[in-house]
Amino acid sequence: MRIALVTDTYPDDVNGVARTLGMLVEHGARRGHEFALVTPRVVQGSARHAVAHRQLPGIPIPIYPDLQLARGLDGVGRRMLSGFAPDLVHVATESTVGLSGRGWARSTRTPLVTSFHTNFPAYLGAYGLGVLESAVWRYLRWFHRESRVTLCPSQDTLDDLLSHGFHRRLRIWSRGVDTDLFDPARRRADVRARIAPGADRILLYVGRLAVEKRVDLLLDAYPRVREMAGHGTALVFVGDGPASAGLRARAPGGVHFTGFLRGIELAEAYAAGDVFAFPSDTETFGNVCLEALASGLPAVVADKGGVRDTVIPGRTGIRVPAGDADALARACASLLRDESERRRLSSGARAEALARSWEAILDHVLEAYAVARVGPLAATS
């Protein structure tokens, strides 16, 4: 097949959506499919698996400066797509680039596939824009309604979309994890000493440091965790983002920040932890949770959103009520204190990750393409 992928984010943007789309194109190329890309400007070489690529200039988004607000598809891009003659267009995001790709598919009567990755309506309240939530849901319903199938990351997200009046041609596009990279065998004493000097136990967070991730709850919970689990307990934040300066300013002793890590350094940081804490209640999947599970860390997460697909009580971790710092503290402390329970959940966490093959997951997307090329998928029951 010939697939045009139109997206507002792509590697080397630092987010799960970009990484997943990059892996999809690489996997599809290995399977013999051809991709043309329309994206904002990206790092040279990141689109090497595509046969054509149009990059559109943009500016950083004020409340999310890691991403760009790029201009829509231009004449050069339209001519590129026409010459490529795709069998279908996959519009992966709903901002300016994606909107223009949707318009091109509609005007040329090319079959359209969309995907829903980020719950932007849920972010609005964190930025004082909650009054816009219903308007954004209306826009998203309109954006996706002409798609032959809309792919979403988790059962929780699919249910949420249905509850907000989306069409019923929804399918789950789950996520996998590199279990060779993220592996408990990477645990090293020197890495522990570097990221949390003098700590006996490490409570770990990995991800964007931003208000919508509810990272403030971890700082609220930490003194109580330390009181219950022992003063040798450290809290380590791996990542960066707009909330970083504020978090650093109010962080008590025992809290450490590594900044952004990737590759082996990131995998070693995961393996150095003892318990993974992730209080975000806006995740459509939560890639970092699956990376933590692959690294043998039991996870404590908010009982809301796509993280519930992988963090299973009694098997891979603990869920706590969203927004409840005290419950978060109690759950983290209980695992940090109980080594035998931590080991039991660690084993279950690793097993859950090993069962999630990227190859099978990405093949499922290619199969959805093949069906959508012929006609709309059946409605979700």
Side-chain angles (χ1 to χ4, degrees), residues 346-371:
S346 174
S347 177
R350 180 67 178 170
E352 175 69 22
L354 288 169
R356 289 179 172 265
S357 157
W358 265 122
E359 186 172 87
I361 287 166
L362 295 174
D363 278 342
H364 178 70
V365 177
L366 298 176
E367 290 163 9
Y369 284 167
V371 177

Side-chain angles (χ1 to χ4, degrees), residues 231-271:
H231 287 274
T233 301
L235 171 60
V236 175
F237 287 97
V238 177
D240 209 342
S244 177
L247 291 171
R248 291 172 185 265
R250 60 174 284 226
V255 178
H256 306 274
F257 297 83
T258 71
F260 174 68
L261 301 177
R262 70 169 67 208
I264 297 295
E265 281 191 314
L266 175 59
E268 289 177 344
Y270 272 117

Side-chain angles (χ1 to χ4, degrees), residues 25-46:
V25 173
E26 181 177 358
H27 178 78
R30 285 199 303 268
R31 290 285 194 254
H33 303 287
E34 294 185 326
F35 283 81
L37 289 175
V38 179
T39 72
R41 296 205 183 278
V42 297
V43 173
Q44 186 175 4
S46 65

Side-chain angles (χ1 to χ4, degrees), residues 18 26 61 81 107 120 194 237 274 311 354 369 373 376 379:
E26 181 177 358
I61 298 173
L81 289 179
S107 67
F120 286 113
R194 184 173 70 247
F237 287 97
D274 296 300
V311 180
L354 288 169
Y369 284 167
R373 178 185 175 187

Side-chain angles (χ1 to χ4, degrees), residues 93-110:
T93 54
E94 301 98 348
S95 192
T96 48
V97 176
L99 184 62
S100 66
R102 179 189 185 278
W104 187 87
R106 191 172 191 273
S107 67
T108 59
R109 300 181 181 274
T110 306

